[in-house]
């Protein structure tokens, strides 16, 4: 028997996304939702409520990943998962990550509503902190799940208040007796996860520009993050003569322009470099900057080209520091490998797209996603829907109810195929 | 009868300065003391205690200027004042400003201790907030005293918490029923202030380099402060392609380098320009900067040349904004006139220096001081002592007990001459 027609309302998911957006430290349309803050906890409560209303069994792990589970007929079958994140960088929008969580709940709920009973368990996950805002570390939930997060490294991180990750997790009602116990409690393996799908807005302009409804992601670009700190001697802005200065912010200014120049010199549209964080100290109008700490993001679909840019950027930092007589510290915060999509999940998405008669293309994701880490433990693929002007990480980030409905529908049909039917294993669309 | 030999201990003043430094939001040797914070109030309590111990009458005005008064024999005579500030920008040192307050108390105390009774009242003032840290406005206490602070302008200012100046003043136990009443309560006029002197560290390397003990300030350089804000559209650091970006921080980087270039192009050692404040938003590693707000300080002993630099800097901001397709807002926060020293106070300082047999030179102050505003209502002069390497606004700012003792001695003798003796009007050194 083919799968019955699913009842999915893009408008309902859209409305739920806008409600989720109200849990924000900045006034809407801006959304700011930082790991383990009150608003993050409010958002989690709402997500758990939606999971319960969709008939899913809710559970949470030690690092705060939230699961909504639709039980399978075969308790030994590895689960089929979907999901994304609900945290938001300062002054971001309502759709990045959240679509994959709320849309994932809607997909599982729609399957359950038509009486679909999966063979393998179906799970929707809200991952803890895909964004690096609080501890400078992206994807802590999915890294921990994949075993790609070292306790020794995590123990070195502090937020602006000097709190450790474990302290922050405990403050939010998660955590464990030790950091290692927390990481162990979040760990999944290939044995209990059979496939993973993530629904996400494109965060780029291609689908909209080409008038396409869906993007099937074949690979996720390889990101690297660097921390660069220039330190000079500071001084009084009135009395310290120009030729005696070693102004750290001017070294930072030259460096930021060098990052742009080096990236553009690759001639590749797929290479991007950003100095996103600037901290100048003492940051007083009448004081020569003593210290400038920058964080740099370099990404490429080609890992070798990306690594070449990183090397050039670090060399240029050293050259500038010498010329401006400032001290330099650099640190490679992360330099993760790119991820190729799994064949089975990509085929399931493609079959769903064909069944629904949607227009689509295959594409590469330049943005970071939890799927980058899920791909380390299970065949993984992503499905993109268009977002207006390609805008993301901005208050005016937007995806239409119609595009959302199509994305959730594709996700639900692909999940059903991957999980199989309790009676007939193979799901006929 | 000549003035008896004064008993002044540079070591005692030095020790008091280091004690004052302990009232700091950062660990010593760094000193951070922001207007109307707890540590500012602790510092004020200590200053008032020292005033009382020196036998001075303590009073405070509505904006928080603290006076220590040695009464004169002629109640109609305009007062002779000295003083400076005790606030400190983030991560500053122990001597900027504080020397003129603690040293001023020591000078008045030493005069009183030898039985000197002035004809005109002698006052030492701790001015409220010479530094612009909290509200972006320098010298609020001395501006208010000179009537050089508009209530309408002050009403527009907010600190990072959104508090107004009046609210902050009230929270510290100062203020009045209205902003205008607060300003009126701090106002002094030529009729009640006859002369003003300020003792200060040089904040430059000249005295130390030339092996001189004292500097007599003939003029204070003309400072200007600008606020410059570049705004772009932001975007995701991974997905937003380079050629589509208008990164506000890169416009800011070009601008900061342009300020340096324009200042250096004057060929004048007396011209300085600094981009001291940088605020980048949203300031996340994975987000293209949407906004960069800078504060710029330009100073010169030559007001016309300074104004020329300001005009060029503003023109360059516009050129960069256009080239990088970002929006631009600029504001001239202040553009104060330079101040020439008064003849009588300068002569009194020179006579004191000669009497004590000290080596000295006349010089210009490149740094901002409360004296810039006192000069608007009374003949004013400053005396500088050397500071190590010319360093200021840094934790390693330092003046020796010996230099401090000489500076306080010069100040005391000059104050005595300007106030006159209760019996013989003219003071013989
Ligand atoms: Mn994001
Ligand atoms: Mn995301
Ligand atoms: Mn200062
Ligand atoms: Mn000062």
């Amino acid at each position: 028997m083919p799968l019955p027609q699913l009842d999915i309302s893009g408008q309902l998911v859209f409305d739920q996304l806008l409600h989720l957006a109200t849990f924000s430290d900045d006034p809407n349309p801006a959304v700011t939702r930082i790991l383990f803050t009150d608003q993050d906890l409010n958002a989690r409560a709402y997500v758990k409520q939606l999971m319960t209303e969709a008939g899913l069994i809710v559970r949470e792990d030690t690092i705060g990943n939230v699961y909504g589970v639709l039980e399978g007929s075969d308790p030994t079958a590895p689960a089929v998962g979907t999901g994304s994140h609900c945290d938001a960088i300062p002054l971001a929008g309502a759709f990045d990550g959240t679509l994959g969580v709320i849309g994932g709940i809607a997909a599982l709920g729609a399957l359950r509503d038509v009486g679909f009973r999966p063979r393998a368990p179906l799970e929707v996950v809200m991952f803890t902190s895909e964004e690096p805002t609080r501890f400078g570390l992206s994807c802590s939930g999915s890294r921990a799940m994949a075993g790609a997060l070292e306790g020794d490294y995590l123990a070195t991180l502090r937020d602006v208040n000097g709190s450790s990750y474990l302290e922050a997790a405990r403050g939010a009602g998660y955590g464990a007796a030790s950091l290692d116990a927390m990481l162990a409690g979040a760990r999944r393996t290939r044995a209990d996860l059979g496939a993973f799908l993530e629904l996400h807005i494109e965060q780029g302009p291609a689908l909209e520009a080409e008038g396409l409804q869906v993007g099937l992601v074949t690979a996720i670009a390889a990101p690297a993050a660097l921390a660069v700190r220039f330190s000079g001697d500071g001084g009084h802005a009135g009395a310290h003569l120009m030729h005696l200065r070693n102004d750290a912010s001017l070294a930072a200014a030259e460096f930021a322009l060098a990052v742009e120049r080096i990236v553009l010199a690759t001639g590749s549209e797929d290479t991007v470099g950003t100095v996103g964080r600037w901290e100048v100290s003492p940051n007083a109008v009448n004081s020569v900057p003593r210290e400038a700490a920058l964080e740099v993001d370099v990404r490429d679909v080609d890992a070798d080209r990306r690594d070449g840019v990183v090397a050039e950027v670090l060399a240029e930092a050293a050259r500038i520091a010498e010329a401006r007589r400032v001290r330099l510290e650099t640190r490679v915060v992360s330099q993760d490998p790119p991820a190729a999509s799994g064949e089975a999940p990509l085929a399931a998405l493609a079959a769903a797209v064909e069944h629904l008669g949607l227009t689509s293309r295959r594409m590469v994701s330049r943005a970071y996603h939890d799927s980058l880490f899920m791909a380390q433990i299970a065949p993984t693929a992503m499905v993109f829907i268009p977002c207006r002007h390609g805008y993301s990480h901005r208050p005016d980030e937007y995806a239409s109810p119609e595009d959302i409905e199509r994305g959730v529908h594709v996700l639900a049909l692909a999940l059903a195929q991957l999980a199989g039917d309790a009676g007939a294993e193979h799901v006929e669309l």
Side-chain angles (χ1 to χ4, degrees), chain A:
Chain A
M1 188 187 81
L3 194 65
Q5 172 69 28
L6 300 181
D7 181 17
I8 292 168
S9 164
Q11 186 64 49
L12 179 63
V13 173
F14 181 89
D15 292 343
Q16 291 170 340
L17 288 167
L18 292 196
H19 184 73
L20 184 64
T22 65
F23 305 117
S24 168
D25 285 326
D26 282 300
N28 287 159
V31 180
T32 300
R33 195 180 304 123
I34 313 296
L35 172 64
F36 297 146
T37 58
D38 288 351
Q39 295 293 17
D40 184 30
L41 295 183
N42 291 341
R44 287 165 180 271
Y46 180 58
V47 165
K48 287 185 272 188
Q49 177 198 325
L50 292 179
M51 286 174 169
T52 303
E53 288 170 5
L56 308 180
I57 298 162
V58 176
R59 69 175 186 85
E60 299 179 280
D61 70 17
T62 46
I63 204 164
N65 294 314
V66 181
Y67 289 81
V69 182
L70 186 59
E71 289 193 307
S73 60
D74 178 357
T76 68
V80 171
T82 188
S84 193
H85 62 98
C86 287
D87 64 325
I89 65 163
L91 304 174
F95 300 87
D96 170 17
T98 54
L99 169 67
V101 177
I102 307 281
I105 296 169
L108 265 57
L111 288 169
R112 183 178 172 278
D113 283 350
V114 294
F116 176 72
R117 184 152 179 248
R119 186 181 65 82
L122 276 171
E123 304 173 344
V124 53
V125 190
M126 192 210 87
F127 291 104
T128 285
S129 194
E130 192 262 358
E131 305 289 2
T133 317
R134 182 158 178 181
F135 288 98
L137 173 72
S138 63
C139 299
S140 53
S142 53
R143 282 180 200 265
M145 207 180 280
L149 182 49
E150 291 294 330
D152 289 351
Y153 173 66
L154 190 58
T156 66
L157 303 182
R158 292 290 179 277
D159 68 7
V160 290
N161 302 317
S163 299
S164 71
Y165 197 103
L166 184 59
E167 286 162 355
R170 283 180 183 156
Y174 301 105
S178 69
L179 205 63
D180 286 342
M182 177 178 78
L183 293 176
R187 189 82 171 87
R188 303 290 296 277
T189 62
R190 290 178 182 278
D192 66 353
L193 192 66
F196 187 81
L197 295 177
E198 183 171 359
L199 168 64
H200 207 282
I201 58 170
E202 182 195 348
Q203 302 184 291
L207 292 175
E208 182 186 64
E210 298 170 27
L212 299 174
Q213 295 167 322
V214 165
L216 301 180
V217 176
T218 56
I220 302 174
L226 311 178
V228 175
R229 181 187 303 267
F230 297 101
S231 308
D233 297 308
H236 188 287
H240 201 46
L241 302 182
M242 296 300 283
H243 70 277
L244 298 173
R245 297 182 179 192
N246 56 356
D247 183 327
S249 77
L250 296 178
E254 283 191 5
F255 174 74
L257 293 167
V259 169
E260 180 187 47
R261 197 174 59 241
I262 290 165
V263 168
L264 291 176
T266 63
S268 149
E269 192 182 61
D270 291 330
T271 315
V272 290
T274 310
V275 178
R277 269 186 75 82
W278 296 66
E279 292 294 348
V280 171
S281 166
N283 215 31
V285 63
N286 56 357
S287 202
V288 178
R290 179 180 307 121
E291 199 172 282
L294 307 179
E295 291 181 25
V296 188
D297 181 297
V298 179
R299 307 191 197 198
D300 204 317
V301 294
D302 179 324
D304 289 342
R305 189 169 54 202
R306 193 270 320 263
D307 292 346
V309 168
V310 167
E312 272 190 78
V313 161
L314 291 173
E316 189 64 8
R319 196 199 61 72
I320 291 166
E322 193 182 340
R324 286 201 170 262
R325 295 172 288 110
V326 296
R327 296 171 291 284
L328 171 68
E329 294 164 73
T330 61
R331 187 164 58 88
V332 177
V333 177
S334 63
Q335 194 160 3
D336 296 301
S341 294
E343 269 179 48
L346 201 57
L349 289 170
V353 165
E354 193 188 338
H355 176 76
L356 295 170
L358 304 180
T359 58
S360 72
R361 61 169 280 190
R362 304 212 159 199
M363 60 196 308
V364 155
S365 168
R366 290 195 187 80
Y368 219 86
H369 298 288
D370 291 303
S371 286
L372 198 60
F373 297 96
M374 299 317 292
Q376 297 186 12
I377 52 169
T380 292
M382 295 187 71
V383 52
F384 280 173
I385 62 168
C387 58
R388 192 165 59 194
H389 306 326
Y391 290 166
S392 185
H393 282 191
R394 301 168 43 150
D396 54 358
E397 187 181 80
Y398 178 84
S400 73
E402 296 73 26
D403 283 323
I404 288 172
E405 186 163 306
R406 284 187 277 268
V408 174
H409 213 146
V410 169
L411 179 67
L413 296 186
L415 287 169
Q417 292 172 80
L418 290 167
D421 183 283
E425 184 135 353
H426 175 74
V427 172
E428 196 181 328
L429 294 183

